Amino acid sequence: MINYFSKNDFILKNKLKRKKWLKETIENEGFRLGNINYIFCSDEQLLDINIQYLNHDYYTDIITFDYKENHIISGDIFISTDRVKENAIINNEEFDDELNRVLVHGILHIIGYKDKMDEDIKLMREKENTYINLFKNN
């Protein structure tokens, strides 16, 4: 089950379409959907989580807590809507496209994709783009 929560004034559009798309992404990767909670929050709220749980004192767009068991994908995915808005502007992207990138990015992390090394970043971007296109074509 995919759930959406907001700790700020953000209201997600196309919830059902996104749930179907994210479930399809998980299944295309050979996994099953467990419980995924997306929590939308502000920069400051996500910074607090980053400091408290990861000992990182910097802003980020997403923090993923992975509760995967075997091939069942579960987790809590915190997303700063402030950071997504800013990144969309910086990358000359529509807000919804940048949001979809971050939504699927969290899922890909739980599945096991990394993004610290150059080759890992390249693969992560390829996967993100593949699944963003899947969303657009549905």
Side-chain angles (χ1 to χ4, degrees):
M1 174 175 280
I2 295 175
N3 300 297
Y4 303 112
F5 303 97
S6 187
K7 292 181 157 234
N8 59 11
D9 61 356
F10 178 72
I11 298 170
L12 181 66
K13 297 179 278 184
N14 299 315
K15 289 180 184 178
L16 293 178
K17 181 178 179 182
R18 284 189 164 104
K19 283 183 182 187
K20 181 179 177 236
W21 166 62
L22 293 165
K23 183 174 189 273
E24 189 175 352
T25 296
I26 291 166
E27 291 170 351
N28 284 349
E29 290 291 324
F31 292 84
R32 291 192 340 242
L33 175 61
N35 289 309
I36 299 287
N37 296 308
Y38 284 98
I39 303 98
F40 301 103
C41 58
S42 69
D43 266 350
E44 294 306 318
Q45 290 166 322
L46 199 55
L47 177 61
D48 289 344
I49 292 167
N50 213 7
I51 292 168
Q52 182 177 353
Y53 293 98
L54 302 176
N55 205 26
H56 297 158
D57 190 5
Y58 54 81
Y59 293 107
T60 186
D61 53 358
I62 183 171
I63 295 176
T64 303
F65 294 95
D66 175 356
Y67 310 133
K68 176 179 72 200
E69 291 185 23
N70 300 314
H71 275 75
I72 300 173
I73 301 300
S74 295
D76 290 330
I77 301 173
F78 291 82
I79 295 174
S80 167
T81 54
D82 298 329
R83 191 76 11 219
V84 171
K85 285 176 193 169
E86 188 169 311
N87 288 344
I89 293 166
I90 290 168
N91 296 320
N92 198 29
E93 293 281 347
E94 294 294 323
F95 174 81
D96 280 351
D97 291 338
E98 186 65 22
L99 179 62
N100 284 344
R101 181 172 305 284
V102 176
L103 289 169
V104 78
H105 185 89
I107 294 292
L108 293 170
H109 267 311
I110 295 172
I111 286 170
Y113 291 96
K114 308 286 185 218
D115 62 358
K116 299 296 181 210
M117 308 279 291
D118 286 343
E119 62 269 11
D120 294 335
I121 293 169
K122 183 177 183 233
L123 179 58
M124 177 71 89
R125 292 296 169 261
E126 288 171 4
K127 289 289 183 174
E128 289 169 359
N129 291 335
T130 295
Y131 290 118
I132 289 167
N133 287 332
L134 180 66
F135 179 82
K136 288 179 179 181
N137 294 325
N138 278 340

